[in-house]
Amino acid sequence: MKKPGKHTVAALLCMAAGVAASCGKMPMNGLLDGRWQLMAVERHADGVIEYPAYTYYDIYLHLMELKRGSAEGAVPLMGKPARFRQTADSLHVRMIGAKAKEMPPFGMNDTIQHFAIEELDDEAMKLNSDYARLTFRKF
C-alpha cells in the first residue's frame, strides 16, 4: 500500500482544523456578551452615585439576566430575566415578570429601559438612560 503524500496529509490537517474551529460558537452579541459587574449607578435626578455590591448583568444569546447576591454567597445570586435589543449605539431592555419597584438596585427605574451605549470594549461598559448612568466592568 502506498503512503499518503505531503499534500494529502497537509490537506487533511487543514480540513480537521477547519472542522474543529467551526464547532465553537462565536458570541452573537459581540463585545456585549458575557458577565458584567455593575460598579456605579449615577442617578441624574439628584446626582447621587451608588456603588452596588455583587450586582451583575449576564448577557448571552437573546437573553439578559440581572443578578444580585452578597459576600461569600450568604445570599445566593437571585436573577431577573430580560430580553434586549442592541443597535449600533443603544441597548433596549425589557424585563420579564419584574415590577418597576424591583429595578432601582439594578440601575433602572422601570421594567422597560432604553440606554445609550457610551462605552463598550473588552473591559468596560457605560450605559446612559434618562434615569441613570451605569458603569460596568467585565467580570
Side-chain angles (χ1 to χ4, degrees):
M1 182 162 191
K2 189 176 171 183
K3 288 186 178 182
K6 291 181 194 177
H7 297 295
T8 305
V9 172
L12 288 173
L13 287 174
C14 286
M15 285 180 14
V19 168
S22 68
C23 291
K25 295 209 178 217
M26 296 298 292
M28 71 183 306
N29 301 305
L31 293 171
L32 190 61
D33 266 352
R35 175 170 275 190
W36 294 92
Q37 183 178 13
L38 183 58
M39 302 301 290
V41 177
E42 178 185 353
R43 292 192 313 249
H44 297 309
D46 56 11
V48 170
I49 300 175
E50 298 172 346
Y51 301 95
Y54 310 103
T55 304
Y56 306 92
Y57 281 37
D58 290 340
I59 302 170
Y60 294 101
L61 300 176
H62 297 288
L63 294 173
M64 175 185 289
E65 188 169 22
L66 283 54
K67 296 181 178 181
R68 289 193 57 130
S70 68
E72 292 92 33
V75 175
L77 288 175
M78 302 299 287
K80 299 200 174 294
R83 295 216 179 266
F84 69 94
R85 186 172 51 88
Q86 178 186 12
T87 63
D89 62 352
S90 60
L91 183 66
H92 308 279
V93 179
R94 183 176 50 87
M95 301 304 299
I96 300 169
K99 295 182 174 138
K101 67 181 180 181
E102 301 170 320
M103 302 316 302
F106 298 102
M108 298 168 52
N109 65 341
D110 204 349
T111 57
I112 297 174
Q113 198 82 59
H114 302 283
F115 294 100
I117 299 173
E118 293 183 344
E119 178 183 347
L120 178 59
D121 60 32
D122 291 336
E123 299 174 2
M125 175 170 63
K126 284 190 181 179
L127 302 177
N128 194 5
S129 70
D130 290 340
Y131 175 68
R133 176 175 286 113
L134 311 182
T135 302
F136 296 87
R137 75 174 177 122
K138 190 77 166 220
F139 192 76

